[in-house]
């Protein structure tokens, strides 16, 4: 009889990451897929190019860092541990893309300025040189034993490999430190869009987790140099931290795009819904509504409803009573409604009277003189919202009628 001991929290996280390492890859790939149409459409935008490069490199890192991919790479090439400089190079390129992203963000449209070009050349040259040195150090190192999970600590004291491990970690740490600091400075900027601010918060959290990753790796490597064994920091703590960092960074890139998209869709649907009372009133005049179109986009449905309302309002204008509208506005103000709402309620009262006056009348459909149809057409949303409160409209209508009666007896 075997007894299965309960996993500790650390062991559970490690086991989860080992089994589901593809989750951060999938999230990063989703972020890239969301951004890709915009990147292709606006390819000349340096910021979008930097975002695309960063996400592509981040996906590549998590694909090639998987133990199964490491073993496959070593087996195909026939060189033990050659996956190490490949992964280190991808991670270093990711660091460089982080800095290029910051340069593109800080300089925006001035990407062709001399200072911007120098900064970009410096990043590309520096991190390109680091990648070249990584491969040179690997060629000089003696690493015959294949290590799929603990190469950093296993070869931490091996000549040339020791320097390679330290070099990639320091290059990563410097880039992440600069990027993280600039992102958090950006978060504190006034006037940011809410979705962008939250996206930056997630990005900042992701890069902060990268610093935790570097700290764990460097501590484990330094422990080997001093004869101690803290390998668990590199093999058990660092990988889940890297996975969480990737998820946060991907969410940071996705959130502003998806959030703004959903917010725009919600506004369109809300505007379409707000026009429903006025649309139903116009439909009672016309006798038929907007023809239904299957799979019509929300924006198209809103435009069709607005167009229908305006098309019915124009011939209805000849029946509008401008004196009634003014009395209704005075009545609404007397009842304590704010000026904008009073105008909308007055227009609603005038429209209801016009609809009743039109029923049973036919003939000339030209607009009556003195009727401000332009303002009415601009304020269809406010008028429709006023029609939703039929009790308020009835109160204003009754008070306007009493004011009319009082004026008539003078």
């Amino acid at each position: 009889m075997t007894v299965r001991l309960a996993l500790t929290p650390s062991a559970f996280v490690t086991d989860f990451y080992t089994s589901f390492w593809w989750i951060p890859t999938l999230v990063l790939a989703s972020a890239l897929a969301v951004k890709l149409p915009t990147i292709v459409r606006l390819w000349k935008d340096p910021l979008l190019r930097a975002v695309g490069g960063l996400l592509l490199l981040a996906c590549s890192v998590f694909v090639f860092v998987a133990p199964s991919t490491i073993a496959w790479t070593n087996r195909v090439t026939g060189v033990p541990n050659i996956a190490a400089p490949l992964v280190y190079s991808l991670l270093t390129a990711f660091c460089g893309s982080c800095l290029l992203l910051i340069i593109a963000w800080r300089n925006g449209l001035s990407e062709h300025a001399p200072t911007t070009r120098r900064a970009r050349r410096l990043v590309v040259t520096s991190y390109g040189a680091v990648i070249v040195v990584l491969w040179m150090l690997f060629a000089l190192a003696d690493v015959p034993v294949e290590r799929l999970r603990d190469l950093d600590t296993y070869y931490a004291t091996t000549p040339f490999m020791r320097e390679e491990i330290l070099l990639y970690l320091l290059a990563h740490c410097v880039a992440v430190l600069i990027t993280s600091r600039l992102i958090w400075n950006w978060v504190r900027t006034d006037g940011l869009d809410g979705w962008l601010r939250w996206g930056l918060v997630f990005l900042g959290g992701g890069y902060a987790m990268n610093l935790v990753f570097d700290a764990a790796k460097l501590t484990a490597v330094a422990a080997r140099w001093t004869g101690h064994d803290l390998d668990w920091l590199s093999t058990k703590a660092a990988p889940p931290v890297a996975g969480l960092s990737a998820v946060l960074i991907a969410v940071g890139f996705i959130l502003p795009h998806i959030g703004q998209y959903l917010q725009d869709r919600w506004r369109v649907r809300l505007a379409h819904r707000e026009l429903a009372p006025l649309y139903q009133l116009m439909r009672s005049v016309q006798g038929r509504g907007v023809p239904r179109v299957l799979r019509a986009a929300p924006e198209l449905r809103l435009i069709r409803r607005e167009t229908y309302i305006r098309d019915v309002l124009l011939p209805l204008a000849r029946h509008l009573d401008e004196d009634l509208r003014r009395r209704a506005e005075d009545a609404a103000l007397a009842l304590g409604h704010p000026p904008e709402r009073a105008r909308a309620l007055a227009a609603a009262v005038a429209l209801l009277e016009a609809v009743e006056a039109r029923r049973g009348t036919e003939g000339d459909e030209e607009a009556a003189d003195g009727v401000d149809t332009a303002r009415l057409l601009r304020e269809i949303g406010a008028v429709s919202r006023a029609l939703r409160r039929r009790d308020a409209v009835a109160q204003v209508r009754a008070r306007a009628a009493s004011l009319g009666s009082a004026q008539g007896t003078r």
Side-chain angles (χ1 to χ4, degrees):
M1 180 179 180
T2 59
V3 179
R4 181 179 177 83
L5 298 178
L7 291 175
T8 64
S10 175
F12 171 79
V13 172
T14 303
D15 183 68
F16 180 86
Y17 176 79
T18 302
S19 302
F20 299 98
W21 61 269
W22 49 266
I23 291 179
T25 309
L26 182 61
V27 176
L28 287 166
S30 300
L32 181 60
V34 168
K35 285 287 186 181
L36 190 58
T38 306
I39 294 171
V40 173
R41 188 172 65 253
L42 303 174
W43 178 250
K44 293 184 179 180
D45 188 328
L47 182 59
L48 288 174
R49 289 203 305 268
V51 169
L54 186 145
L55 290 174
L56 181 60
L57 287 168
C59 288
S60 301
V61 169
F62 277 92
V63 168
F64 283 94
V65 80
S68 57
T69 310
I70 292 174
W72 177 85
T73 304
N74 295 336
R75 183 175 65 255
V76 169
T77 59
V79 180
N81 297 310
I82 198 173
L86 176 60
V87 172
Y88 296 163
S89 298
L90 289 172
L91 192 59
T92 302
F94 168 79
C95 297
S97 68
C98 292
L99 293 177
L100 290 175
L101 175 63
I102 293 300
I103 293 172
W105 161 65
R106 286 178 66 89
N107 295 280
L109 296 177
S110 61
E111 62 164 325
H112 298 298
T115 54
T116 303
R117 291 199 301 267
R118 284 196 297 269
R120 292 171 63 181
R121 282 199 300 267
L122 178 61
V123 170
V124 173
T125 302
S126 300
Y127 279 83
V130 169
I131 292 174
V132 172
V133 172
L134 287 173
W135 284 96
M136 291 175 59
L137 290 172
F138 180 78
L140 295 172
D142 183 19
V143 285
V145 181
E146 183 182 58
R147 310 300 299 184
L148 300 181
R149 300 179 188 275
D150 62 345
L151 184 140
D152 290 347
T153 51
Y154 187 86
Y155 288 111
T157 58
T158 302
F160 299 111
M161 199 63 189
R162 171 184 57 216
E163 287 77 9
E164 175 168 1
I165 294 168
L166 182 62
L167 178 61
Y168 100 82
L169 286 175
L170 289 179
H172 182 262
C173 187
V174 169
V176 169
L177 187 62
I178 295 173
T179 306
S180 179
R181 180 179 177 180
L182 291 175
I183 285 176
W184 286 114
N185 288 340
W186 191 5
V187 170
R188 292 191 289 268
T189 303
D190 295 332
L192 284 182
D193 173 76
W195 291 109
L196 176 59
R197 188 181 299 277
W198 275 108
L200 289 172
V201 168
F202 277 98
L203 282 175
Y207 283 109
M209 294 302 294
N210 264 319
L211 292 174
V212 176
F213 168 85
D214 290 330
K217 285 281 187 178
L218 286 169
T219 302
V221 170
R224 279 287 185 138
W225 296 343
T226 59
H228 297 84
D229 185 356
L230 293 177
D231 290 5
W232 65 273
L233 286 173
S234 177
T235 57
K236 294 184 179 181
V241 170
L244 178 58
S245 170
V247 171
L248 291 175
I249 290 174
V251 171
F253 282 117
I254 292 175
L255 191 60
H257 188 281
I258 296 297
Q260 190 61 52
Y261 172 81
L262 293 177
Q263 184 174 336
D264 291 343
R265 281 302 181 94
W266 172 251
R267 287 174 179 170
V268 170
R269 291 182 182 277
L270 183 61
H272 185 270
R273 181 175 177 272
E274 285 182 342
L275 289 176
L278 184 56
Y279 169 72
Q280 293 299 332
L281 181 63
M282 296 300 99
R283 187 176 180 181
S284 69
V285 174
Q286 189 72 6
R288 63 181 184 276
V290 179
R292 185 177 296 275
V293 178
L294 295 178
R295 298 182 181 179
E299 293 83 359
L300 178 59
R301 292 171 57 203
L302 176 60
I303 292 173
R304 286 164 59 85
R305 176 165 286 190
E306 290 175 340
T307 303
Y308 175 86
I309 290 173
R310 291 188 172 97
D311 288 345
V312 179
L313 272 177
L314 282 173
L316 186 65
R318 67 182 298 270
H319 299 284
L320 289 172
D321 187 338
E322 184 64 14
D323 291 334
L324 172 62
R325 191 202 63 77
R326 283 194 292 266
R327 292 198 308 271
E329 186 172 350
D330 293 338
L333 290 171
L335 290 170
H337 294 286
E340 291 185 5
R341 183 163 179 77
R343 286 198 302 270
L345 287 168
V349 169
L351 274 177
L352 289 173
E353 290 285 350
V355 169
E356 293 179 2
R358 186 184 185 279
R359 289 169 183 164
T361 64
E362 296 180 359
D364 185 18
E365 297 294 340
E366 296 293 332
D369 293 336
V371 177
D372 189 359
T373 56
R375 187 177 68 176
L376 179 61
L377 293 176
R378 288 196 306 268
E379 298 177 351
I380 58 175
V383 175
S384 185
R385 288 192 296 271
L387 285 170
R388 193 178 293 275
R389 295 289 303 274
R390 289 301 180 99
D391 53 343
V393 173
Q395 289 178 350
V396 172
R397 192 174 185 181
R399 192 176 182 91
S402 63
L403 289 176
S405 299
Q407 292 176 359
T409 57
R410 293 176 183 177

